[in-house]
Amino acid sequence: MQEVKETGGARIGMANATWPLATLIVNQQTLQLKASIIGDLVFKPSDIIRIEPYTLIPVLGQGIKINHTVPGYNAKVIFWTFGSPEALIRKIAQTGFLVNANSIPADVAARVLITQTGGSFPVKTSAAIAIVLIWNVLFLYDIIGFFNGEHKGLPLGIGAQLALAFVFLISLLLLISVPVRSLILKPGKEINGIKSFLFFLMLITAVMFTAISIFPK
């Protein structure tokens, strides 16, 4: 089965993922757009109205717009590419996906349905709320200390370090622990779709943790 796999960027609604945080994978049965933390979308041939070239800025902001009928997905789905949008559409057509009028296998259809039902955001709502809440509570500890005169410099101390360490640890556990993935990711969502984002997040939190450790308290 011929398959197209392209690395680029993506826009889903108002959220944007720059190159190389998005991957487009197309074969005869499915079209999948893995756009890191902003979304993991999968389509059957029958879900697609049309795929058309899309240009925001020549060369730097061009790609393909995926017009679809999936209710749980944002209507604006764009894959950014540095190559020719028209050439990419021709590659997709060569897989047979755009003209596949046959029913796809039942197991593939079931996987697609599970992913579509969960929406495009890969993290469970309850998990996302819990992570944001813990992050804010830990930072609040430093903010209260700052207004109480406990910090002479920036209002960043042990609370900020704990918040950064918490996000670093969650990212690491998502990469190495299957039970943690089951707890945080929605059914049907794969860790491969957000690996790049998790590595980037770990790098940023590690750098910020180190920087805060040398700030005057």
Side-chain angles (χ1 to χ4, degrees), residues 68-89:
H68 63 88
T69 60
V70 181
Y73 291 168
N74 195 289
K76 190 170 189 178
V77 178
I78 299 166
F79 175 74
W80 303 116
T81 177
F82 286 124
S84 164
E86 290 80 5
L88 179 55
I89 292 175

Side-chain angles (χ1 to χ4, degrees), residues 24-104:
L24 181 73
I25 304 172
V26 189
N27 55 46
Q28 188 178 24
Q29 298 173 352
T30 61
L31 181 153
Q32 187 170 13
L33 178 58
K34 298 181 178 182
S36 188
I37 198 67
I38 73 168
D40 183 357
L41 294 76
V42 62
F43 303 92
K44 307 185 302 295
S46 59
D47 296 324
I48 302 299
I49 300 172
R50 66 182 179 279
I51 298 177
E52 59 188 355
Y54 183 91
T55 301
L56 183 62
I57 303 172
V59 182
L60 296 178
Q62 63 183 19
I64 59 172
K65 187 172 187 292
I66 302 169
N67 299 285
H68 63 88
T69 60
V70 181
Y73 291 168
N74 195 289
K76 190 170 189 178
V77 178
I78 299 166
F79 175 74
W80 303 116
T81 177
F82 286 124
S84 164
E86 290 80 5
L88 179 55
I89 292 175
R90 286 196 295 271
K91 287 182 181 180
I92 294 173
Q94 288 171 2
T95 67
F97 175 82
L98 296 177
V99 294
N100 185 6
N102 300 320
S103 299
I104 64 176

Side-chain angles (χ1 to χ4, degrees), residues 100-177:
N100 185 6
N102 300 320
S103 299
I104 64 176
D107 60 328
V108 176
R111 289 198 300 269
V112 170
L113 180 60
I114 290 173
T115 302
Q116 290 181 347
T117 302
S120 61
F121 188 59
V123 177
K124 292 177 181 177
T125 302
S126 56
I129 292 173
I131 291 170
V132 171
L133 182 61
I134 293 171
W135 168 272
N136 288 331
V137 168
L138 291 172
F139 264 100
L140 185 62
Y141 175 83
D142 281 348
I143 293 173
I144 293 173
F146 176 77
F147 284 108
N148 288 338
E150 297 175 10
H151 299 289
K152 296 180 181 179
L154 294 174
L156 299 174
I158 187 63
Q161 288 180 304
L162 288 173
L164 292 165
F166 168 71
V167 172
F168 182 94
L169 181 61
I170 288 293
S171 300
L172 178 61
L173 289 174
L174 275 169
L175 288 169
I176 65 176
S177 173

Side-chain angles (χ1 to χ4, degrees), residues 198-209:
L198 292 175
F199 284 125
F200 175 74
L201 193 59
M202 289 172 66
L203 174 63
I204 293 299
T205 52
V207 170
M208 291 181 66
F209 183 95

